[in-house]
Amino acid sequence: MSVDETTTARSTSLADVAHEPGAAKPDPILVADHVVRRFGGMTAVDVDHLEVQEGVITALIGPNGAGKTTFFNLLTGFDTPNTGEWTFQGRSLSGKSGAAVAKAGVVRTFQLTKALGRLTVLQNMLLASRDNPGENLWLSWLPFLWKKHEADSTEKAMEILARFKLDTKANDYAGSLSGGQRKLLEMARALMTDPTMIMLDEPMAGVNPALVQSLLGHVQALRDEGMTVLFVEHDMHAVRHISDWVVVMAEGRIVAEGPPSSVMKDEAVVDAYLGAHHDTDLGDDSLLDPAVLARYEAEEEER
Amino acid sequence: MEEFLRILTQSAGEILAPTTAAFAIAAIGLNLHFGYTGLLNMGQAGFMLLGAYGFGITLTLGGPIWLAFLIAIAAGVVFALLLGMPTLQLRGDYLAIVTISAAEIVRWFGRSTLWQEWTGGASGLQGRYYKDPFHALSFLPEGRFALGPFEYINTGSDSWFTRIFAWGLVALVLIFVWLITRSPWGRVLKGIREDEDAVRALGKSVYSYKLQALVLGGAIGALAGVVYAIPLAISPDSMGGRTMTFFVWTVLLLGGAATVFGPVLGSMIFFTAYMFMRTGMRALSEDTAVGNVISTTQVEYIGGMLVGITLMCLVIFRPQGILGNKKELAFNVR
Amino acid sequence: MTADRLDLARRTRRAIAAVALALLPAMLVAHPATASTDDATCQPDNETACVAGMVLTADNDHVAGVELLVTGEGFTADLITTDERPVAVAVPEVGRYVVAIDPSTLPDDQQLPEGAELEREVVAQTGATARAAFRVGSGAEAPAAPSETAEDSATAGTAPEGGDEGVGAAPEGDASQRDFNWGQLWQQIGSGLRFGLLLALASIGLNLVFGTTGLSNFAHGEQFALGAALGFLTINVMGMPIWLGGILTIAVCGMTGWAQDAGIWRPLRKRNVPVMQLMIVSIGLSITLQYVIQLLIGGGSERILSSNPRPITIVGITLSAASWISMLVALVCVLGIAWFLTRTRIGRATRAVSDNPALASATGIDPDKIIRLVWVMATGFAALAGLMWGTSFGSFNWQLGIQLLLLMFAAVTLGGLGTALGAFVGSLLIGQVVELSNLVIPSDLRYASALVILILVLLFRPQGILGRRERVG
């Protein structure tokens, strides 16, 4: 099954969904209701209802200051809302800590990459491994109890690193990686936790254009393996080619939902972007030219 | 020249002194806090004083020595829980403020008349109340023993047995900390030190790990207090003061935070240099014209000032200390 | 950061900690017998100074029937010790007295240790008892602490029960030993106001530095003590008039702030050194300053004004004239700072730098100049507060810095880290807490109540009364 066919198959699951804010989905994995977060007098997030379809790539877009990242932080337990509840796979996650959300299978990345620069790339990966007996204080000083888990995790980590072309850097400090490589590492590290759903906060921000394409490829591959992907992006053109469903936020509210092709034409969306700021054409379609891509990728390889 | 040799010998004697060992242990505990986890514990002296009280009071009341050690450790654990639970979810400087305050409070309670019948008030607990049970553990024969210029009695306050016990404990604690910090548990701590949100996003309970580190380092600090008190006495003003905490910090940063041997090396160098400087200056002050300008009491003050300046210079110019790795620098707390 | 806050577990922990803290005062008052230290025959008040003597065995039992001779300021008195409390005598003038022991009157089994001093020097002050203690019997040698002799020298030879311990001294007497009455309560509220105003003057500087640079300056307590120490040197030792000594002290201390920022803090800011690293530098600085202060004034307790304080009663509160003047000066300074921060261009710029340095510099404010000014202000006002503390609270010693630092931290945490108004409100509250707790717990523990407040605040409202929540995480 080629990537295109998969996309089509996934998109058909959303074919009957209404193109309106808060639309009901056939298999929602994440459902949020009445989520409100205020800072002082300002309401940063006010989301009435949102469902995220299982097994597809959903993009959460909106101009800067639309409350996307705040909403993201709320859903992942890194901020506390004034009101609101949300469920993941039918279980409530509202009020849970960031760690508990991750344990439930929702793992996130950060807009400003949080690769741990003073650990090596491999240590970063191993840190993410689940249920490591060696992470229990009582067992940690008895290496024979966790050596096997550690060896298994190392093997798994190297596989994932190879996939992200980071295996040659396994023993370098993560601080020595380029910005794009750190984004990749953060994504690879998230995969180490075997997540059900992965939430990426502006994965393309500040990344070398050649890597953007490879990043997007990785995101699609995750979806094809059955993972649910939700990612935040402020550039609406960048999401067009890979997302199955787009949710648009402006001034804290969801203003539109729909497949990428139709949502871009939505009046409310155009208004939201024009109203906030108009940074003209952010979509770099030249990246789709295979020749240009190959050149960029060759450059990135040499790093 | 003879005088110089005497000073040199006296300084070198500090390398194996029980006090040096006590500071090494305290710094190993602080290393767990600051070096590996990034916690700013500014009250290590409070842990030490509590540990010493736990040990001394248990023995004074006639308890067995194993119980005395257990109670010393328990005192450190409880203190760490009390301080850590309200503060470890807040920004780093809150822990610093609370620990430095709490250490002062422990000292005030220690020197207060309130529990004088147990703590001995401001004059503290005299060593003779608790030393005997400890000396009874000695396996060394009666008499004295000389190793080169270093001659001490076999069993007693400033003795070989005290040294063997103190450094044996250093070795034990060192091995234990080495084992746990190179384990996946230690890796989580290092992750927290750098960016706790990243670790939280991977499903680890950051709070719980920080509390574990605080408790463990605090218990080690309490043991250090016991080692410090064994050859001396438990005096709240000399042990529980802020100066003690800051000396432990200087020892740790001198040797190198987040290194295994840093605390031990730091303690040895610190006390050798400190003793050399003070005995040297005191000799100058007593025997030469310098004495007209600087009295022997002032020598102590100048010594303390130099420690403060050393700490500042270390943090500014060589934050990784002697053994540290600049790339894996501990200063990353926000 | 804030997500864990809703956990049930956390609520439980809060509850446990709160119960533990609530029990603490109960534990304190449960031992009134051991806390009792009132001295026979002399009750200190605002016009009476007492000198007391005691002879203690190694087990802290009082030895009875020993003769002590009190001399000084043209006054002599013989005292005979009793077996349960120090014996005291009212002395006519404040000042230095020598208490000498007659070793021939000691019991045979309780002799002075070899080489022990036969005299103790104490400083008598109104409203307090200066105690001299002699230790006898086997094991009476002072506890040895080889690496800490600097600290020992400060405590050896003076009274071990806190009567002479700088801030630890309660100038109005040990109120916990008196029967409760409303007049006493009112008097303590007045003392609390004095305490709070002086604390506020010092802690506003601490909070301004924190607000503009993010640094919790651990050396700020020493800046406070430096003000008192320089005040002692200029006014008492050199004999300058108060106004001249005061101005000189403030100028020198303000210079230390200028020099610190120019020599240490600004270069480190330029190198983008993390704030926590700066904090440890400030700790190094505080050790250094602490020993500088000991070099300046020695290890004992000192007084800036050696003349007898003149009590003045206003609305039923009796405080010394120096105290009333200090309170007025502190209030004027605090109001002046408030006017400066809200009404002047530079003051508004200071607040802008506190809120958002990047934005401030984008609007043409030079944050470095503002921060330099803040350092000078912070150290200058800390010095003024320290100086006035020294004049209105009687004696002080080199430990003043750390004790006040702790209270300042408690005050700014209570009021809200980083805001000037928060520091002011927090300080006034801490002043009341400290002086009023004096009514229920032993006075040598009255600062412990400030820590209890600090921990309660961190448990229930970590941003403080007036702080913004976002600053905490």
Side-chain angles (χ1 to χ4, degrees):
Chain A
M1 193 158 53
S2 81
V3 171
D4 274 346
E5 281 169 39
T6 326
T7 313
T8 321
R10 300 287 173 185
S11 301
T12 50
S13 71
L14 292 164
D16 301 333
V17 175
H19 299 180
E20 62 186 25
K25 312 286 186 313
D27 306 300
I29 191 168
L30 181 77
V31 182
D33 280 299
H34 314 295
V35 179
V36 178
R37 175 72 166 106
R38 293 189 199 90
F39 293 108
M42 198 193 78
T43 305
V45 170
D46 182 2
V47 171
D48 236 18
H49 184 76
L50 175 68
E51 296 184 8
V52 176
Q53 169 74 5
E54 182 168 6
V56 303
I57 299 177
T58 304
L60 182 60
I61 67 167
N64 287 329
K68 307 176 301 274
T69 296
T70 311
F71 185 47
F72 219 68
N73 287 344
L74 293 170
L75 291 183
T76 49
F78 281 78
D79 195 358
T80 317
N82 297 80
T83 66
E85 57 269 349
W86 55 99
T87 59
F88 177 70
Q89 292 181 318
R91 281 176 299 152
S92 171
L93 280 187
S94 24
K96 291 273 167 56
S97 71
V101 170
K103 278 186 193 144
V106 185
V107 67
R108 69 166 294 181
T109 65
F110 293 86
Q111 188 174 350
L112 295 169
T113 324
K114 290 188 187 290
L116 299 165
R118 280 148 197 186
L119 299 182
T120 66
V121 169
L122 183 60
Q123 282 175 328
N124 261 280
M125 295 294 284
L126 293 176
L127 182 63
S129 155
R130 276 172 172 248
D131 305 319
N132 188 341
E135 288 180 2
N136 181 326
L137 175 58
W138 306 109
L139 309 178
S140 63
W141 55 290
L142 302 168
F144 58 89
L145 287 176
W146 45 263
K147 274 282 188 259
K148 175 151 170 24
H149 183 103
E150 195 80 348
D152 294 347
S153 308
T154 309
E155 200 178 313
K156 180 175 162 194
M158 291 309 290
E159 271 170 31
I160 299 177
L161 285 177
R163 177 168 150 193
F164 285 85
K165 299 204 174 74
L166 287 170
D167 46 343
T168 52
K169 302 199 175 283
N171 292 317
D172 295 4
Y173 279 104
S176 67
L177 299 181
S178 74
Q181 286 170 325
R182 284 185 215 191
K183 289 265 180 195
L184 284 178
L185 172 60
E186 209 185 1
M187 206 187 285
R189 194 175 63 189
L191 291 186
M192 273 301 279
T193 66
D194 300 320
T196 318
M197 176 169 175
I198 183 162
M199 298 180 59
L200 310 168
D201 194 353
E202 303 221 2
M204 279 87 96
V207 176
N208 172 328
L211 264 180
V212 165
Q213 207 52 39
S214 113
L215 256 162
L216 293 180
H218 286 303
V219 172
Q220 277 175 322
L222 296 181
R223 188 254 331 259
D224 297 341
E225 286 165 20
M227 236 171 262
T228 308
V229 181
L230 175 66
F231 73 99
V232 161
E233 185 56 59
H234 77 269
D235 169 8
M236 65 172 164
H237 297 281
V239 307
R240 185 160 63 198
H241 306 291
I242 65 155
S243 55
D244 304 308
W245 192 259
V246 177
V247 177
V248 187
M249 277 182 85
E251 292 169 356
R253 295 166 177 280
I254 295 179
V255 294
E257 271 194 56
S261 49
S262 72
V263 97
M264 303 288 175
K265 299 186 195 102
D266 191 304
E267 280 297 315
V269 178
V270 177
D271 282 355
Y273 271 86
L274 290 177
H277 70 133
H278 192 56
D279 31 356
T280 59
D281 185 25
L282 290 164
D284 194 353
D285 277 8
S286 67
L287 272 181
L288 297 179
D289 182 344
V292 178
L293 248 186
R295 203 184 70 225
Y296 274 129
E297 261 163 7
E299 280 172 10
E300 185 66 24
E301 289 281 295
E302 282 168 19
R303 280 185 65 93
Chain B
M1 191 60 211
E2 199 178 311
E3 176 75 0
F4 183 70
L5 269 181
R6 185 185 66 79
I7 294 171
L8 215 56
T9 317
Q10 198 178 348
S11 308
E14 287 290 299
I15 294 178
L16 286 183
T19 309
T20 309
F23 271 81
I25 298 175
I28 293 171
L30 185 64
N31 200 15
L32 259 184
H33 294 154
F34 175 72
Y36 291 103
T37 325
L39 300 176
L40 290 155
N41 170 15
M42 292 293 162
Q44 191 69 336
F47 286 95
M48 295 173 75
L49 183 59
L50 269 180
Y53 273 135
F55 179 80
I57 293 174
T58 309
L59 286 182
T60 309
L61 295 178
I65 194 156
W66 58 266
L67 184 66
F69 277 106
L70 272 187
I71 287 189
I73 293 172
V77 169
V78 171
F79 194 52
L81 288 174
L82 268 178
L83 300 186
M85 287 198 315
T87 50
L88 284 180
Q89 281 169 351
L90 306 173
R91 208 184 34 219
D93 30 359
Y94 283 98
L95 180 68
I97 291 172
V98 167
T99 44
I100 196 173
S101 313
E104 276 297 291
I105 298 292
V106 169
R107 185 172 72 89
W108 287 341
F109 270 95
R111 73 197 308 287
S112 156
T113 49
L114 191 63
W115 293 316
Q116 195 166 5
E117 50 185 305
W118 295 292
T119 61
S123 47
L125 268 185
Q126 302 303 311
R128 61 197 165 90
Y129 292 119
Y130 57 79
K131 279 180 184 171
D132 289 345
F134 174 73
H135 295 154
L137 294 180
S138 175
F139 47 81
L140 297 174
E142 293 279 306
R144 305 177 71 83
F145 178 74
L147 186 77
F150 306 116
E151 186 186 336
Y152 311 103
I153 48 171
N154 282 345
T155 304
S157 286
D158 188 22
S159 68
W160 285 109
F161 177 65
T162 311
R163 283 175 171 71
I164 291 169
F165 173 80
W167 288 101
L169 199 60
V170 171
L172 265 180
V173 171
L174 204 63
I175 291 171
F176 178 67
V177 169
W178 176 69
L179 279 173
I180 59 172
T181 51
R182 65 193 283 276
S183 77
W185 184 80
R187 194 167 56 211
V188 178
L189 293 194
K190 287 180 197 170
I192 292 172
R193 178 183 74 195
E194 190 170 337
D195 191 330
E196 55 184 73
D197 278 346
V199 178
R200 196 173 281 131
L202 296 173
K204 321 282 177 199
S205 170
V206 168
Y207 175 79
S208 155
Y209 279 97
K210 288 207 275 191
L211 200 56
Q212 288 172 28
L214 188 71
V215 165
L216 205 55
I220 293 174
L223 272 182
V226 174
V227 173
Y228 183 83
I230 279 177
L232 306 168
I234 303 171
S235 142
D237 285 329
S238 69
M239 269 192 78
R242 174 177 61 145
T243 317
M244 189 89 162
T245 298
F246 294 167
F247 278 17
V248 177
W249 272 90
T250 311
V251 161
L252 175 65
L253 292 175
L254 181 66
T259 63
V260 177
F261 290 104
V264 179
L265 184 72
S267 186
M268 289 175 166
I269 294 178
F270 178 82
F271 279 103
T272 311
Y274 192 50
M275 178 60 87
F276 181 76
M277 185 178 69
R278 290 191 312 158
T279 45
M281 284 200 305
R282 204 179 298 149
L284 279 182
S285 162
E286 276 165 7
D287 306 336
T288 66
V290 179
N292 302 333
V293 190
I294 302 172
S295 73
T296 44
T297 344
Q298 284 171 332
V299 165
E300 297 295 336
Y301 299 152
I302 294 171
M305 261 170 63
L306 289 176
V307 173
I309 293 170
T310 309
L311 179 58
M312 285 163 75
C313 291
L314 263 176
V315 177
I316 295 173
F317 299 112
R318 201 175 162 83
Q320 73 271 37
I322 296 172
L323 295 177
N325 175 351
K326 185 133 202 201
K327 278 192 178 153
E328 210 207 312
L329 203 52
F331 288 100
N332 204 63
V333 226
R334 284 146 300 147
Chain C
M1 278 289 143
T2 55
D4 294 355
R5 197 160 284 140
L6 289 176
D7 280 357
L8 180 67
R10 179 168 161 80
R11 279 194 224 126
T12 321
R13 286 195 298 267
R14 276 185 186 179
I16 295 171
V19 168
L21 285 171
L23 287 177
L24 197 60
M27 286 153 63
L28 294 182
V29 288
H31 300 278
T34 48
S36 170
T37 54
D38 58 333
D39 306 328
T41 64
C42 177
Q43 183 68 53
D45 59 34
N46 288 305
E47 285 164 36
T48 317
C50 301
V51 170
M54 60 189 138
V55 179
L56 296 172
T57 67
D59 298 322
N60 290 321
D61 291 331
H62 287 275
V63 180
V66 184
E67 279 183 30
L68 300 176
L69 181 67
V70 180
T71 50
E73 313 281 336
F75 167 85
T76 38
D78 276 317
L79 298 173
I80 307 225
T81 60
T82 65
D83 59 1
E84 37 182 43
R85 56 180 66 159
V87 280
V89 61
V91 292
E93 305 248 354
V94 293
R96 289 174 188 280
Y97 288 82
V98 173
V99 181
I101 187 171
D102 181 352
S104 62
T105 56
L106 281 168
D108 290 341
D109 59 337
Q110 299 286 3
Q111 287 293 327
L112 279 171
E114 229 169 284
E117 295 276 340
L118 295 177
E119 294 179 352
R120 296 276 188 275
E121 192 181 80
V122 295
V123 178
Q125 49 191 305
T126 51
T129 300
R131 297 193 189 121
F134 295 90
R135 213 164 261 289
V136 295
S138 55
E141 296 85 22
S147 59
E148 295 286 318
T149 33
E151 290 202 352
D152 285 347
S153 62
T155 45
T158 51
E161 294 189 37
D164 214 2
E165 205 222 344
V167 209
E172 267 67 51
D174 201 345
S176 62
Q177 310 312 329
R178 297 181 189 168
D179 290 337
F180 177 84
N181 67 58
W182 289 103
Q184 183 63 33
L185 181 70
W186 183 238
Q187 172 69 29
Q188 291 302 114
I189 288 176
S191 304
L193 188 64
R194 171 180 67 172
F195 201 122
L197 281 172
L198 292 181
L199 192 64
L201 190 55
S203 51
I204 285 176
L206 180 69
N207 234 4
L208 280 178
V209 168
F210 178 84
T212 47
T213 66
L215 169 70
S216 301
N217 179 20
F218 276 70
H220 200 69
E222 255 61 43
Q223 295 287 347
F224 182 93
L226 193 63
L230 290 180
F232 167 72
L233 284 185
T234 52
I235 296 168
N236 191 317
V237 178
M238 298 181 197
M240 290 182 193
I242 293 179
W243 61 270
L244 180 62
I247 289 173
L248 202 65
T249 299
I250 295 165
V252 170
C253 289
M255 284 297 292
T256 63
W258 188 91
Q260 264 176 55
D261 189 51
I264 304 174
W265 308 117
R266 186 171 184 274
L268 291 180
R269 273 202 305 281
K270 293 289 151 226
R271 278 168 51 187
N272 275 325
V273 174
V275 163
M276 291 303 151
Q277 205 165 333
L278 296 183
M279 199 169 101
I280 299 175
V281 174
S282 83
I283 284 169
L285 183 65
S286 90
I287 306 184
T288 312
L289 283 177
Q290 175 198 311
Y291 284 106
V292 168
I293 290 168
Q294 288 192 58
L295 268 179
L296 292 177
I297 65 166
S301 289
E302 302 295 351
R303 293 168 67 86
I304 294 177
L305 301 177
S306 42
S307 63
N308 222 344
R310 189 158 50 90
I312 297 178
T313 306
I314 299 177
V315 293
I317 296 169
T318 307
L319 293 171
S320 67
S323 296
W324 286 111
I325 296 170
S326 298
M327 286 165 74
L328 189 69
V329 172
L331 189 64
V332 168
C333 287
V334 167
L335 291 177
I337 295 171
W339 176 80
F340 168 78
L341 286 179
T342 52
R343 293 281 181 269
T344 66
R345 207 184 65 83
I346 304 173
R348 282 198 296 266
T350 309
R351 291 196 302 159
V353 172
S354 272
D355 288 339
N356 189 338
L359 190 64
S361 63
T363 54
I365 297 167
D366 180 359
D368 278 322
K369 274 192 186 144
I370 299 291
I371 291 172
R372 180 72 48 91
L373 179 72
V374 164
W375 271 106
V376 173
M377 272 173 58
T379 49
F381 282 118
L384 175 61
L387 176 72
M388 296 196 302
W389 183 285
T391 54
S392 47
F393 277 70
S395 70
F396 69 95
N397 66 16
W398 59 273
Q399 295 188 31
L400 183 67
I402 175 66
Q403 284 160 337
L404 260 290
L405 180 72
L406 160 55
L407 296 177
M408 284 190 263
F409 274 143
V412 297
T413 313
L414 177 61
L417 264 179
T419 68
L421 183 62
F424 179 65
V425 174
S427 299
L428 290 188
L429 287 173
I430 289 291
Q432 294 300 335
V433 165
V434 168
E435 293 289 355
L436 290 179
S437 66
N438 221 4
L439 294 169
V440 283
I441 59 173
S443 65
D444 57 357
L445 287 176
R446 58 189 182 149
Y447 295 112
S449 55
L451 178 84
V452 174
I453 298 283
L454 177 67
I455 292 180
L456 282 177
V457 168
L458 291 182
L459 274 171
F460 293 105
R461 199 178 159 85
Q463 71 271 38
I465 300 173
L466 299 171
R468 274 172 290 171
R469 190 168 199 167
E470 281 69 35
R471 286 186 188 270
V472 181

